[in-house]
Amino acid sequence: MTEWKEFSVTINNDAQEAVSAIFSDLGSSGVSIVDRNDFLHLPEYGFDTLWELDENKFPKEGAIIKGYFTQHDDLTYIENELRKRINKLPEYGIDLTHFHLDVLDVKEEEWSNAWKKYYHPVSVTRFLTIVPQWETYEKKDSDERILYLDPGLAFGTGTHPTTQLCIQALEISIRKEATVFDVGTGSGVLSIASALYGAGKINAYDLDNVAVTSARDNIRLNGLEDAITVEANNLLEGIKSKADIIVANILAEIILPFIPDAYAHLEEDGLFITSGIISDKKDQVIEELKKHQFDIVQVNQMNDWVAIIARKQNKENEG
């Protein structure tokens, strides 16, 4: 049985994505976020219906970001580096409040059982419901699509606003047989949703090999191996083909320099769907998209998070 160290950072919401990026850079085997806004501010969900958790365990201010490392990692270095990098965030214009770090021992089996106890079906839209693979669920409507998911260790469950915003954007954007690139696939939830909405071929990419394994497992769980290919890759480096839709639920700091590459990998009039954008950085991302010949089709917001649908300009309109 694998023994894990859970590094749990309590932090203000403005620093949430930066801390997540720090965890990833230090080699965390997945990152999870506990934010009471995700549950309290969505009309379909709540503590009684989704997670069955004690509300008092959620921070009244800020969020909890958790990273996971094994006993084989240099845990002293990771703890020191985590503290050092987080304390330097104000130098980059990120306010820092409520910062607290806890380190706990976690057994993989105990963690998995906790998921099975707390995670229940989530109706992300009228037409798509995410169901944990151990749950029995019957469709409420003939048009409803069921996306089965085994989150594994700290990978996306579809409950975070950024994931939901992307799924909603895919629902209105995908046309039959469209080609989709899912950049930073994580658990594979957006790739699977794309296939369920009728996309023809989906290529999913993630830099983290643990994420690649998680995504492949979930794709197999939904019987979509023929529709979705998963590869370990740094964004779209070295990829020669193009897509009708690129979806990227990643950090704004990664999205900004990635925009020209996304443009180059889209077919004419292709769509770039991106989230993971905190509302304070919305205007910066929109400005950069316009600078690189994208038309803004739609901007959607849920709590403090934003998703943007942008269209690659037709050559006749460029310049």
Side-chain angles (χ1 to χ4, degrees), residues 1-4 69-72 106-110 153:
M1 184 189 304
T2 304
E3 298 279 347
W4 296 87
F69 301 86
T70 72
Q71 299 288 348
H72 303 294
V106 179
K107 293 182 179 180
E108 186 168 328
E109 183 178 344
E110 294 173 353
L153 182 66

Side-chain angles (χ1 to χ4, degrees), residues 8-24:
S8 180
V9 173
T10 303
I11 205 83
N12 51 301
N13 283 318
D14 289 346
Q16 189 179 123
E17 57 181 309
V19 172
S20 298
I22 292 170
F23 268 124
S24 297

Side-chain angles (χ1 to χ4, degrees), residues 33 38-39 42 45 50-51 115 119-120 122 124 130 156-164 302:
I33 299 173
D38 294 349
F39 310 105
L42 298 180
Y45 316 132
L50 178 60
W51 292 97
W115 267 111
Y119 180 39
H120 300 287
V122 180
V124 179
I130 298 176
T157 64
T159 61
H160 194 271
T162 59
T163 308
Q164 295 194 28
M302 187 181 292

